Amino acid sequence: GYGAGSPALVKLAGDGNVRISGNLLSGGYLSSGVLDWTDGAGAKIEIEAAGQAYVNGYLRAYEEVVVKGGEHSSDQGFFLQGAGEITVEKAAGTIRLESGGDVVIEGSVLAGGRIEAVRDSEGYWLGRNLVEYGGDSVLRIDAAHQIRIGTNLRAGKTIELTGGADPVVVGETHSGKGIVLYGTAEVETWAANALISLNGIGRIDVLASPYDY
């Protein structure tokens, strides 16, 4: 979606599962290989699935990204796979992720910045560089059951995670917990007087890095 004179909106909704493996872009366009956000004000991406919302592509909007997953047999109502990225360009933009079950983040989420691919001299992918714009952006994640974070969450002013009542399943290590931050997770804000809030009906676990021992 490209907003020339009116705010752009890219909206996907499904009665079952919604899987995104490509690129969704709202409010910008590619010019000579560079994203131009000149007319991006107000541009949003909205995704809603009655089943699982599964993202292993790229969601990029100027102002706001909202993803609402529902219920799924895996209990993962929203899953961001390791290759997936969610960003908003506006320095004071907003990202909201919700699930009727678990929220699982294995990719990168950045509110108020851009993500650049890092490659070697031969063009092979080495990783990501998260570039922050210094604004008062907001990231909120709400799950009816559990939130599990394994990688990057970044925003300027607020990161708020709210886990729910996760069913206890015998043999599953982290079942019954409201939030689990793995040792590989990086949850960061950059603005003055910023807030990182972890709330859960169940236990909240912040685990040690596996590389420190």
Side-chain angles (χ1 to χ4, degrees):
Y2 175 61
S6 61
L9 173 64
V10 175
K11 185 171 183 176
L12 299 177
D15 292 333
N17 301 328
V18 173
R19 182 179 182 123
I20 299 168
S21 299
N23 292 274
L24 295 187
L25 175 62
S26 182
Y29 69 96
L30 279 172
S31 175
S32 301
V34 178
L35 273 173
D36 187 329
W37 297 96
T38 302
D39 295 310
K44 300 179 181 180
I45 292 174
E46 296 179 0
I47 298 168
E48 186 167 359
Q52 184 186 62
Y54 181 103
V55 178
N56 67 339
Y58 304 92
L59 308 184
R60 291 177 288 187
Y62 182 78
E63 189 145 330
E64 184 177 33
V65 174
V66 178
V67 183
K68 298 180 180 180
E71 298 178 353
H72 189 258
S73 58
S74 68
D75 203 28
Q76 297 178 11
F78 174 72
F79 179 60
L80 180 65
Q81 192 260 356
E85 299 176 0
I86 301 176
T87 61
V88 290
E89 177 73 9
K90 184 178 178 180
T94 301
I95 295 174
R96 292 189 290 125
L97 309 175
E98 302 175 10
S99 170
D102 294 350
V103 170
V104 180
I105 305 293
E106 295 182 356
S108 293
V109 183
L110 171 60
R114 68 181 185 275
I115 299 177
E116 300 174 340
V118 179
R119 301 181 184 276
D120 66 15
S121 58
E122 297 182 354
Y124 290 103
W125 191 84
L126 298 176
R128 298 179 173 112
N129 180 34
L130 278 64
V131 180
E132 306 148 357
Y133 295 159
D136 290 344
S137 55
V138 175
L139 168 59
R140 289 191 169 92
I141 302 178
D142 294 274
H145 292 167
Q146 183 182 93
I147 298 172
R148 298 194 297 279
I149 308 296
T151 44
N152 313 103
L153 300 181
R154 291 191 190 176
K157 194 68 173 180
T158 304
I159 295 179
E160 184 175 1
L161 278 56
T162 304
D166 189 54
V168 175
V169 178
V170 176
E172 290 191 7
T173 303
H174 296 296
S175 71
K177 301 173 183 178
I179 300 174
V180 179
L181 298 184
Y182 294 111
T184 53
E186 297 180 357
V187 180
E188 301 178 39
T189 56
W190 58 79
N193 302 310
L195 171 68
I196 296 176
S197 176
L198 307 180
N199 308 286
I201 295 174
R203 197 173 91 182
I204 297 174
D205 279 11
V206 179
L207 305 180
S209 170
Y211 307 110
D212 290 344
Y213 302 97

